[in-house]
Amino acid sequence: MAEQTATRQITVPLMADLAAKGEEPEILFWVGCAGAFDDRYKRVTRAFVRILEHVGVKYAVLGMEETCTGDPAKRAGNEFLFQMQAMQNITTFEGYGVKKIVTACPHCFNTIKNEYPALGGNYEVIHHSTFLQQLINEGRVGMAGGGEFKGQRITFHDSCYLGRSNNIYEAPRDVLAALDADLVEMKRSKANGLCCGAGGAQMWKEPEPGKKDINVERTEEALAALDGNAAALASLNGVESGNAGATPAPRNGQQSSIIAVSCPFCMTMMSDGVKNKERENNVQVFDIAELIATAEGLG
Amino acid sequence: MLVAVAGFGLFAWQARKIRANILVGRDRDMSGNVSERLSKTLLVAFGQQKMFKRLTPAFLHLIVYVGFIVINVEVIEIMIDGLFGTHRVLSFLGPLYSLLVGANEILGALVIVAVVAFWWRRNVGVVRRFTGPELRMWPKLDANIILYVEVILMVALYTMNSADLKLHQLEGVELPGAYPISSLLTGLLPANVAVLHGLERLGWWAHIVGILLFLNYLPSSKHFHIIMAFPNVYYSRLVPQGQFSNVDSITHEVKAMMDPSYQVPPPATNPDGSVAAPTPFGAKDVDDLAWTTLLNSYSCTECGRCTAVCPANITGKLLSPRKIIMDTRDRVEEKYNAPLIFQPNLYGTEAKHAETEVLSKENHTLLRGYVTPEELWACTTCNACVEACPVNINPLESIIEMRRFLVLEESAAPNSLNVMFSNIENNGAPWAFSPSDRFNWADELFVAEKA
């Protein structure tokens, strides 16, 4: 693709290096454990850094100085471990005089934004969906490549820790709207969205005995929305009539379509769900940052 | 007069005991933000904002709610008439009185229609959330009793009005007020003055005694929500739903560990000056929960919107947020005041538990005796239950408090979660990756340059 575009290697700036030079970045990009270690989500981290480089925001990361925010420990009831982690991170933030933090993980976002203040850490914390929305609104990301996703059917899966937890519903949708794609909503969306099944430390344990896995229920709903399959939707246990939103127009289930997410755990759960339903051949799961980076032609 | 004093007196006695029950909960400062709290109460409690997420029940409920409020104005009149021997004392209001009585008549009919619809939805079984193990036996009966009583009260009102109307017609005197429904019913009544008079008195007494009995039934019933919803919404959390409570005692410990010069505040003392026993981390029983959580349990009308949206429940797990709230109320009434004339809520803990649920016989506390770890560990903390509750009950808070007890006091987390904890402690990440690999994602990273 685009043979004439040159590529440039990125040296991701570290807070420690900037501080040594007496410089301060505009934002700290908090990568998060999934963003740093999970092979799939590392691609999201890299896509987001490409966007940061592309628009020329002065940013830095903590690199090896980053450590878990404590979110999974807190949700699992281990308040002691949570606070140990939080204090350690707050000490790091204070050491660098951090003021503004951007992260691609809704769990890190919620924890630092809402739960660190009680422990003495007060920062402006922004989720990457809001950050991307701002870049688009300011015209700094303009879909130069364009057309990549034109007409492609995309449905957005709300992350609980972005949506219900922090009332951010429109930012990721605004970002997707910039793609000029065929956006469809699931029956349970926004405040009524169904969890992917990974929150509350479920990511690290097997589910309790039941009839079905939550991510399968959610993926079935996403596929029904993408296919416009009203019958499949009606057979889902939790979708009650009277919920807002009509079923999208039916289409051939062979056309390729996308489930968009904005959370590393949703990414894992929805990807596993798509595999479970054997639809990997035509349904892909992407983070909104990856879609923007692709549409911008950032490689 | 006697009946009224007895009715209200008994209710006050019951209300005091419930207040005491709620106050066994842990302290939580909910003062301040009065204007925000009031506007929330106005919107969510008076305005029923969150009911309108589901339109059909919202309209049916609105009819009964408005009917309840407007018809109660007539109840005031009935009271005054009864105490002072007057007859339709508010009739001096003239056209306004006609409007009031006319509105009551029409609302009464709509209430009956709504109640029939409610009964149908609940008993003929088209709504999944009215099923479930916790909604058998007393809770099911309770829900139907409420519907029957509402119909009886409406019938009493019509008996009184139509008999009164016919009496006046026979005497050739005009009865003040408008009676669009009762005027249709007069034909059904005998033209006997004594019988009519008796019927009018019967309707009058049935309505007033019925309402006073119902008032005293409330504390035993889910129908208590008609009162408790208001303080419950007023005292609901104002912070983002994703913000879980901080455990301050742990903060002191952690700060002391990181900074030896940190001064831990002195432990709480009893009124007599002795050092109070330290409170456990998290919640094992109802008195370990915040008082607002206990207030929650008295505000629950068991509608099951929380359970209907719970991802764990939808996919067949044991967890039902509604059941945890119902368990909390049952347990506080078992352990503390059973304030009720009768104790229907204490119907045996097994009754409303699924067959697959294993309750502990030795630990008869909220945790294990009512709510099992299996339920608690099935929660994804997604806040769907919190979002769904029309009266701002927060089941998630109890779940987290009980998880805290399991982890911090009993070290009883599932093994895989213990592995996650030790990964965080040792590697700074919930997975077993080496911290030295944390920055590897940035290797060989290229970006396309603009031409």
Side-chain angles (χ1 to χ4, degrees), chain A residues 5-10 12 14 31 33-34 36-37 42 45-46 49-50 54 61 63-64 66-68 72 74-81 83-85 87 91 110 114-115 119 160-161 164-165 188 191-192 194-195 199-202 204-205 208-212 214 217 237-238 240 297-298, chain B residues 53-54 128 240-247 250-251 253-255 257-258 308-309 311-312 314-318 374 377-384 387 400 403-404 407-408 414 416-417 420-421 424-425 428-431 433-439 441-450:
Chain A
T5 16
T7 56
R8 165 172 72 83
Q9 182 157 13
I10 301 170
V12 178
L14 284 168
V31 177
C33 300
F37 292 119
K42 276 198 259 184
T45 307
R46 290 161 71 91
V49 164
R50 286 191 183 101
H54 173 67
V61 300
M64 281 181 253
E66 213 181 88
T67 180
C68 175
K74 187 169 179 100
R75 311 304 144 199
N78 196 336
E79 182 72 10
F80 196 86
L81 180 56
Q83 291 200 12
M84 293 290 289
Q85 292 298 117
M87 296 287 193
T91 307
N110 176 69
N114 294 324
E115 291 167 351
L119 304 170
C160 305
Y161 276 82
R164 273 188 295 271
S165 282
R188 289 172 289 197
N192 299 323
L194 182 76
C195 177
Q202 298 293 337
W204 292 273
K205 60 183 268 300
E208 275 58 35
K211 296 192 295 258
K212 200 190 223 181
I214 295 169
E217 165 91 5
N237 205 0
E240 281 185 34
L298 301 180
Chain B
K53 288 186 162 213
R54 290 167 191 260
R128 190 182 81 96
Q241 284 177 5
Q243 181 179 330
F244 289 16
S245 65
N246 192 60
V247 182
I250 292 179
T251 309
E253 267 185 62
V254 172
K255 281 191 171 161
M257 275 171 63
M258 295 181 76
V309 296
I314 287 170
T315 55
K317 278 83 173 176
L318 215 43
E374 182 180 335
W377 292 120
C379 174
T380 69
T381 69
C382 76
N383 263 306
E387 180 76 35
I400 290 301
R403 280 187 177 185
R404 283 175 181 163
V407 171
L408 299 172
S416 47
L417 290 186
M420 180 265 284
F421 294 151
I424 294 179
E425 273 174 63
W431 295 284
F433 289 109
S434 164
S436 60
D437 292 337
R438 193 176 264 278
F439 198 34
W441 60 266
D443 295 346
E444 302 288 312
L445 178 55
F446 295 88
V447 63
E449 283 283 23
K450 270 182 241 175

Side-chain angles (χ1 to χ4, degrees), chain A residues 35-54:
Chain A
F37 292 119
D38 180 274
D39 279 337
R40 178 66 189 86
Y41 221 66
K42 276 198 259 184
R43 280 159 48 198
V44 177
T45 307
R46 290 161 71 91
F48 188 62
V49 164
R50 286 191 183 101
I51 297 170
L52 292 175
E53 290 278 342
H54 173 67

Side-chain angles (χ1 to χ4, degrees), chain B residues 147-288:
Chain B
L147 297 178
Y148 300 143
V149 169
E150 278 165 358
V151 172
I152 291 171
L153 289 178
M154 292 307 111
V155 170
L157 188 72
Y158 287 130
T159 310
M160 179 182 90
N161 280 350
S162 54
D164 203 11
L165 194 62
K166 186 136 186 176
L167 268 176
H168 281 73
Q169 284 169 355
L170 291 178
E171 290 166 8
V173 188
E174 197 181 341
L175 179 66
Y179 301 90
I181 307 285
S182 292
S183 57
L184 305 174
L185 300 173
T186 49
L188 300 173
L189 299 176
N192 178 321
V193 175
V195 172
L196 283 176
H197 197 73
L199 278 176
E200 194 266 343
R201 288 290 89 189
L202 181 73
W204 188 90
W205 277 106
H207 199 78
I208 186 69
V209 172
I211 279 191
L212 289 172
L213 283 178
F214 202 39
L215 181 69
N216 279 290
Y217 174 76
L218 293 186
S220 313
S221 163
K222 78 187 190 82
H223 210 51
F224 207 27
H225 81 283
I226 64 172
I227 295 170
M228 301 304 273
F230 298 93
N232 195 61
V233 172
Y234 182 84
Y235 287 116
S236 55
R237 281 159 40 105
L238 303 174
V239 298
Q241 284 177 5
Q243 181 179 330
F244 289 16
S245 65
N246 192 60
V247 182
D248 294 337
S249 56
I250 292 179
T251 309
H252 297 311
E253 267 185 62
V254 172
K255 281 191 171 161
M257 275 171 63
M258 295 181 76
D259 173 11
S261 67
Y262 180 77
Q263 291 291 317
V264 178
T269 50
N270 290 323
D272 60 8
S274 62
V275 175
T279 49
F281 297 128
K284 183 184 193 186
D285 213 343
V286 282
D287 32 19
D288 300 324

Side-chain angles (χ1 to χ4, degrees), chain A residues 286-299:
Chain A
F286 284 119
D287 182 88
I288 54 172
E290 293 179 296
L291 297 174
I292 293 297
T294 306
E296 263 312 65
L298 301 180

Side-chain angles (χ1 to χ4, degrees), chain A residues 79-228:
Chain A
E79 182 72 10
F80 196 86
L81 180 56
F82 158 71
Q83 291 200 12
M84 293 290 289
Q85 292 298 117
M87 296 287 193
Q88 191 181 338
N89 284 319
I90 290 171
T91 307
T92 309
F93 292 151
E94 296 301 313
Y96 290 119
V98 169
K99 292 178 196 71
K100 191 169 173 182
I101 301 171
V102 177
T103 177
C105 173
H107 293 259
C108 299
F109 164 73
N110 176 69
T111 306
I112 301 174
K113 174 175 172 286
N114 294 324
E115 291 167 351
Y116 278 23
L119 304 170
N122 292 284
Y123 315 99
E124 184 189 353
V125 191
I126 302 173
H127 184 254
H128 78 318
S129 59
T130 309
F131 188 77
L132 290 171
Q133 178 195 34
Q134 286 166 3
L135 291 180
I136 291 166
N137 289 346
E138 290 163 10
R140 294 166 81 182
V141 170
M143 303 307 141
E148 198 93 14
F149 298 102
K150 199 174 168 68
Q152 174 100 301
R153 193 167 268 191
I154 302 180
T155 190
F156 178 69
H157 162 77
D158 286 279
S159 148
C160 305
Y161 276 82
L162 196 61
R164 273 188 295 271
S165 282
N166 290 291
N167 284 316
I168 297 176
Y169 301 110
E170 294 311 323
R173 287 177 171 79
D174 284 357
V175 172
L176 292 173
L179 298 173
D180 202 14
D182 172 21
L183 287 184
V184 295
E185 287 287 351
M186 289 185 247
K187 283 266 179 180
R188 289 172 289 197
S189 72
K190 301 184 181 175
N192 299 323
L194 182 76
C195 177
C196 70
Q202 298 293 337
M203 187 72 195
W204 292 273
K205 60 183 268 300
E206 286 304 310
E208 275 58 35
K211 296 192 295 258
K212 200 190 223 181
D213 284 345
I214 295 169
N215 66 324
V216 173
E217 165 91 5
R218 184 54 163 172
T219 306
E220 286 173 356
E221 184 181 1
L223 295 176
L226 291 170
D227 299 343

Side-chain angles (χ1 to χ4, degrees), chain B residues 356-388:
Chain B
T356 48
E357 187 175 6
V358 187
L359 295 173
S360 166
K361 292 268 184 281
E362 306 84 68
N363 296 294
H364 191 67
T365 47
L366 181 64
L367 174 62
R368 295 186 194 279
Y370 283 80
V371 180
T372 57
E374 182 180 335
E375 290 159 73
L376 300 171
W377 292 120
C379 174
T380 69
T381 69
C382 76
N383 263 306
C385 55
V386 180
E387 180 76 35

